[in-house]
Structures are given as structure tokens and as C-alpha cells.
Amino acid sequence: MKNTKLILLMFLSLAVFSCDQDFEEVNTDPNNATVIPAHLLLGNLIRINQNEMYLVQGSGDMGECWAQHWSKVQYNDEARYIPRRGSIDRIWNVLYASVLSDAKSMYELAGEEGNSNLQAVSLIIQANSFQILTDLYGPIPFAEALNEAVEQPAYSTSEEVYAGILSMLDQADALLAANTGEIVATSDLLYSGDASKWQKLGNSLKFKALMRSNGSNSELQALVNEGQMFSSNADNAQLVYTDLDPDANPIFETIVFGNRPEYKISSAVVDILTGLGDPRLSVYAGLNADGDIVGKPAGYLNLPSETLGYTYGNISPLGDKYLDPTLPGVMLSYSQLSLLMAEAANEGKISGGMVAAKTFMDQGIAASFDFNAIGGAGAYSSAITFSSQTDARAKIATQEWIALFGQGFEAWTEWRRTGFPALTPAVDGDLPSIPTRLYYPTTEASLNAASYNAAKATLNNGDALDSTLFWQ
């Protein structure tokens, strides 16, 4: 009996020992990797970022309507400065949780792979997303934002965020100079793996950030002298969408595929472009029911209104190009960079004065015409002359506003910075002036109360749509 028990005990011990051997190998699912190549995160980062920047319920309702590129003939609350809090929450959540967090992970994985080029791409994407956030909200979590050990990150001032953005872009430039590792073409939805294009994007974004934050003239001139910024539309940072749902441009997805035709052209676009004899108007706007191009002023209650003449049939829709499913989602264009360079020359931030400013402006106009597939840029530009620095300032900024049609938040942001063209606030608006920022997300007041309250106290009117940012 004792021998039987002893044999049984030995058998059980052997069984347990054999089960422990190679336990992790046997119980690892070969179809679900625990570590992925860094480049596999890239395509999704680009797609999510650009989708959010072209989402009609955010960048359209607020950006395009507040920049007065678009108007609405129904469901008009946002155009009257009563935005949906859920849409505002979404922008913050998507950029932090789905873009910045994954971009940081890509940076770390690329570092483990020894891929300096992909690390640089990560930093460029992070710099761009942080700039979007601070330009929309003001002070934001930055220094502690992506630290998993910090559950309630402090807010950094916008000035601190901009300093961090510029540092990121400098680091990216150095990493691209090291030139180690591959940017896999199939994952790179902007440049198909061309590191030199990413270097141009990083430097061009730096020029934009310096202009927006009134940065160093010497740094701006150095970027011009180095010649490593965009030099044609071939350098544009833009996501080319497909013609198939759900991978079409979000403007098409909502207005056409989602059957939301209340989005129309603004009278500001019609009036300004008509006054300039600008042929882009026929691209930006379609024809109304009578075969004319007619815009609607911002705002108004109780729409549509036959009495006012603001109905679905009376007001022109957006033009076919801007309702096309394959409309590119632009992150930064050669046209915008050229117009920023025109402004810089006119303001004495880079060399050349008004003569160079005119050359850069003509360059930006030509690029915008080319993007919109129309000719006649030379004749149009030749009719625009500068009588003074003040005159040039208004005309350059107005051309940038025109060229940014379709890029809702970017158009609104640059309008907030320059103040040109002069726009009339919405009729029946909830505010007497066009908003200058977005509210903070609703969850910040409860989940990150101390940091939120400290940030709110730095704004001149608290967490309100009419508080101003440091560059305004």
C-alpha cells in the first residue's frame, strides 16, 4: 500500500513538472503578437488625425462656419456660436488618445528598432497635433500629458507648448539627418516613405509655428536660407482619400453620403471672391436652384426661411470638388506656406520687404489655383498690388483665408490670428463676436479639476468661447 502511494506521488510530480516545462511557449498565441513593428502605427495615426480635421460635425460646424467659408440653412446652432459639447470633447479625446498616445508608442518602438527616421516622423505628428490642441483650447496638458504615471496632468501655457513644439521639430530634423531605418512606404499615407519630404514638412511646420507665435526672425530667416521647406504642391502634406465609404473624405461622408445638404456656401466667400474677380468661386460654390451662386450670411434663427430667402434651394451648395469623396485632407500646403512667407517678408521677419512679399503671395496664389485645377493665376495676381505695408498685410491675409477654404479649423485659426478679411458676427448669435477658442472638454472639470481650474484662471474670460489666446 505504501509503495502504491509512493508511485502515485511520483507520477503526479512528474506530471506537474512536465506541464510547467515550456509553459509560456505552449500558451502563447502565435496569431496575436505582443510587439508590433513601429511603422504599423503610422498609417492609422495619419488617417485619424486628418479625419478629425475634416469632420463636418467639428471642423465644419465650428471651423468653416466661424471662418465664414460655409453657412447653414438649418440646424444652425453651431453657426450661431452654440457648439455641441460632445463635438468639442471628441476633438480633445481623439487627438490625445488616438493620435498623440499612439505616436508616442511609435516613437518608443522605433527607438528600440534603431529607426531614427520613424522617430522623427512621430515627433512631427506630435508637434502638429499639440499645435492644433493649443490653438483650439489655449493652455493644455503637455509636459505631463503622455506620462502614464500621471493621472491628472498639469496644463502648460500655450507659450510653453509652442516652445515644446519647436523643440520637437528641431529634434525631428536632427533625427532625419541621422537617417537610420526605413519609413515603410505602405504605412506612410502622406509621403510613401520619402524621408526628405518629411524633413520639408517638419521645417515648414516650424515656419508656421514661428509665425503664429511671433517667433524669432533669425530662426525664420534660417529656414528660408536652408531651403529645406516646401517648394511646390508636390510637397503638400495631404491624405488622399478613396471614393469608397468609409474611406472617403469626411465632408463627402456627411454631406453627400449622409444626406446633410444644409451645409451651404457663405455670403462672405461669394462677396469677397466676386469683388476680386476670383475664379476659385466657381470651384468653391455650386449653383442654386436658379442656376446662380448665392451665399448666406452667418447665423439666423428659424431656418430655412422663405421670407428671408434662406432655403435649401435658394442658397448655393459647396462646389463639386469639395463634395468629392477623394478630396485630399490637407495637413499643410505649399500655398499656405508661401502666403506665410509673404507675410513674413512684409513684416520684416525675413528679408525682401514688399517686393519679396508680392513674389511669395503670387507663388501661394498659383499653388492654390493649381490645387483647385484652374488656370489664370498670373492674370489674377497681377491685378493685386500693394500700396503700403498695411495694404499688403490685409491682402496677403485675405488670400490665405481664400486658399484655406475647406480646412475648417486651420482657416478659423488663421483668421483669428490675422483678423482678415473683416467678417460680420452671426445674426442672432449667442455671442456678440466670433468665438476665439473652444470650451475645454466637459470631463476635465471633474476628472482633472485642479489642473483645469488653474488653466481656466489664466484665461481672460475663463473657460469661455470669447477668451483670447496669447497670439491673438
Side-chain angles (χ1 to χ4, degrees):
M1 186 68 174
K2 287 183 180 181
N3 288 339
T4 301
K5 289 182 179 179
L6 181 59
I7 292 169
L8 180 58
L9 181 61
M10 290 174 63
F11 177 78
L12 290 172
S13 298
L14 286 170
V16 170
F17 178 74
S18 65
C19 287
D20 284 344
Q21 282 187 316
D22 301 321
F23 179 84
E24 291 184 359
E25 180 179 343
V26 171
N27 288 278
T28 298
D29 183 352
N31 296 317
N32 289 289
T34 57
V35 178
I36 64 169
H39 75 87
L40 292 180
L41 294 171
L42 178 57
N44 202 45
L45 289 173
I46 295 169
R47 183 183 63 80
I48 291 174
N49 190 89
Q50 292 312 102
N51 281 356
E52 196 61 32
M53 290 303 98
Y54 276 78
L55 189 70
V56 169
Q57 290 78 10
S59 191
D61 276 330
M62 291 173 279
E64 285 291 274
C65 287
W66 295 353
Q68 293 188 18
H69 284 165
W70 297 2
S71 64
K72 296 182 76 175
V73 293
Q74 198 170 6
Y75 314 118
N76 207 27
D77 281 357
E78 290 84 3
R80 295 192 304 107
Y81 316 145
I82 310 172
R84 282 173 284 187
R85 290 295 190 125
S87 296
I88 292 174
D89 291 0
R90 177 192 165 91
I91 299 160
W92 179 284
N93 293 337
V94 166
L95 290 182
Y96 272 116
S98 299
V99 178
L100 287 166
S101 179
D102 282 359
K104 180 191 176 190
S105 296
M106 186 173 77
Y107 180 90
E108 293 167 349
L109 289 168
E112 294 171 5
E113 296 170 0
N115 190 333
S116 68
N117 286 328
L118 200 55
Q119 285 186 299
V121 169
S122 168
L123 289 173
I124 291 168
I125 290 171
Q126 289 184 60
N128 181 65
S129 294
F130 273 124
Q131 186 175 10
I132 292 167
L133 284 163
T134 197
D135 288 343
L136 293 181
Y137 298 94
I140 57 168
F142 177 72
E144 298 179 348
L146 304 180
N147 186 339
E148 294 179 359
V150 180
E151 294 184 355
Q152 297 178 313
Y155 285 49
S156 300
T157 67
S158 291
E159 294 92 332
E160 291 168 339
V161 177
Y162 263 88
I165 288 166
L166 294 170
S167 177
M168 284 180 173
L169 294 172
D170 285 341
Q171 292 174 56
D173 195 52
L175 287 165
L176 286 165
N179 194 27
T180 62
E182 179 187 9
I183 305 172
V184 177
T186 53
S187 294
D188 182 0
L189 303 182
L190 293 184
Y191 293 126
S192 299
D194 189 337
S196 68
K197 297 281 191 182
W198 280 101
Q199 183 180 36
K200 287 185 176 184
L201 173 58
N203 288 328
S204 300
L205 284 170
K206 182 179 178 181
F207 194 95
K208 183 180 83 166
L210 287 167
M211 286 297 294
R212 195 164 289 170
S213 60
N214 195 26
S216 159
N217 292 4
S218 61
E219 287 188 272
L220 287 163
Q221 188 64 57
L223 287 167
V224 176
N225 294 345
E226 289 164 8
Q228 292 299 314
M229 295 192 293
F230 291 172
S231 58
S232 74
N233 277 354
D235 294 327
N236 286 354
Q238 58 186 35
L239 172 61
V240 178
Y241 287 98
T242 75
D243 58 2
L244 299 174
D245 176 73
D247 296 319
N249 186 293
I251 298 175
F252 166 85
E253 294 280 0
T254 294
I255 298 176
V256 179
F257 189 78
N259 193 29
R260 296 292 300 274
E262 69 267 21
Y263 294 91
K264 302 288 187 177
I265 200 73
S266 166
S267 60
V269 169
V270 176
D271 294 346
I272 290 170
L273 271 64
T274 298
L276 292 170
D278 195 316
R280 285 172 288 188
L281 179 59
S282 63
V283 180
Y284 292 173
L287 302 178
N288 70 1
D290 296 325
D292 300 318
I293 293 179
V294 177
K296 173 192 159 292
Y300 290 95
L301 281 164
N302 304 318
L303 295 176
S305 170
E306 291 283 356
T307 302
L308 293 171
Y310 302 142
T311 68
Y312 281 88
N314 293 348
I315 306 304
S316 292
L318 305 185
D320 289 344
K321 179 180 179 66
Y322 289 84
L323 297 177
D324 191 299
T326 63
L327 175 72
V330 179
M331 183 182 292
L332 183 65
S333 69
Y334 174 56
S335 176
Q336 185 182 6
L337 174 66
S338 297
L339 290 160
L340 289 170
M341 293 174 74
E343 178 189 349
N346 186 60
E347 302 299 333
K349 293 179 175 293
I350 61 175
S351 61
M354 279 199 294
V355 173
K358 179 67 165 68
T359 300
F360 287 130
M361 186 191 73
D362 292 351
Q363 185 176 282
I365 290 170
S368 176
F369 273 53
D370 182 59
F371 178 83
N372 287 288
I374 53 176
Y380 174 82
S381 294
S382 66
I384 303 174
T385 59
F386 300 156
S387 61
S388 66
Q389 184 188 49
T390 301
D391 181 51
R393 183 180 298 130
K395 288 176 177 176
I396 292 165
T398 297
Q399 285 300 319
E400 187 184 13
W401 176 82
I402 294 170
L404 286 171
F405 184 87
Q407 293 177 245
F409 279 138
E410 188 67 13
W412 173 54
T413 294
E414 279 296 272
W415 179 83
R416 288 182 289 151
R417 183 180 69 86
T418 69
F420 295 107
L423 299 176
T424 302
V427 177
D428 299 325
D430 199 52
L431 294 172
S433 58
I434 297 170
T436 49
R437 64 180 288 274
L438 298 183
Y439 296 118
Y440 284 123
T442 52
T443 53
E444 285 295 289
S446 56
L447 300 181
N448 194 13
S451 298
Y452 163 78
N453 288 326
K456 181 175 70 170
T458 68
L459 295 167
N460 63 311
N461 196 28
D463 185 13
L465 294 177
D466 57 358
S467 280
T468 54
L469 308 183
F470 84 100
W471 43 256
Q472 292 175 311

